[in-house]
Amino acid sequence: MSEEFVIAFSTFPDVETARKIVRELVENSTIACANILPSVESVYCWKEEVETNTEALAIFKLTAARYSEFESRLRALHPYDVPEIIAHKVEHGLPEYLRWVSENCA
């Protein structure tokens, strides 16, 4: 399979926000799917203050060809000023699963 695939991560203020945005991205075939982890503790520096918050984490699966659109749409939909959007190329994966991702990002 010559197509490239990406796994991307983003945190959200709550599971409802994550679910709404994930659903829209799936419905528009921007992503094939996402897993939502409803509670992660995040510790970070924002505006020179150390913050600790509970957030929801989404793990997105998509083709590399859809990444630019994914990033733009997620940024537009996301409630944070600077959303976490981190992506990694998939080096290996079950061919049947990757084919499914490709078919659902068409």
Side-chain angles (χ1 to χ4, degrees):
M1 183 172 285
S2 63
E3 189 164 23
E4 293 184 347
F5 299 89
V6 172
I7 293 178
F9 302 86
S10 187
T11 51
F12 296 88
D14 53 65
V15 72
E16 294 81 19
T17 302
R19 190 176 293 126
K20 178 181 173 227
I21 292 171
V22 164
R23 187 169 194 86
E24 183 168 331
L25 294 171
V26 168
E27 287 174 350
N28 292 308
S29 300
T30 305
I31 63 170
C33 69
N35 304 105
I36 299 172
L37 286 71
S39 183
V40 296
E41 184 173 334
S42 298
V43 180
Y44 54 92
C45 194
W46 181 249
K47 297 184 179 179
E48 300 181 23
E49 296 289 329
V50 175
E51 303 280 341
T52 302
N53 284 303
T54 300
E55 298 178 293
L57 173 68
I59 304 169
F60 302 91
K61 288 76 166 226
L62 62 148
T63 60
R66 297 301 292 246
Y67 181 78
S68 181
E69 176 188 357
F70 161 77
E71 185 179 285
S72 294
R73 291 182 74 132
L74 181 55
R75 187 173 183 129
L77 295 167
H78 208 290
Y80 291 167
D81 292 338
V82 181
E84 171 188 9
I85 304 174
I86 297 173
H88 299 278
K89 284 186 178 181
V90 173
E91 302 245 350
H92 304 283
L94 182 69
E96 296 87 347
Y97 181 77
L98 296 177
R99 188 171 18 263
W100 177 84
V101 170
S102 180
E103 290 167 358
N104 284 280
C105 287

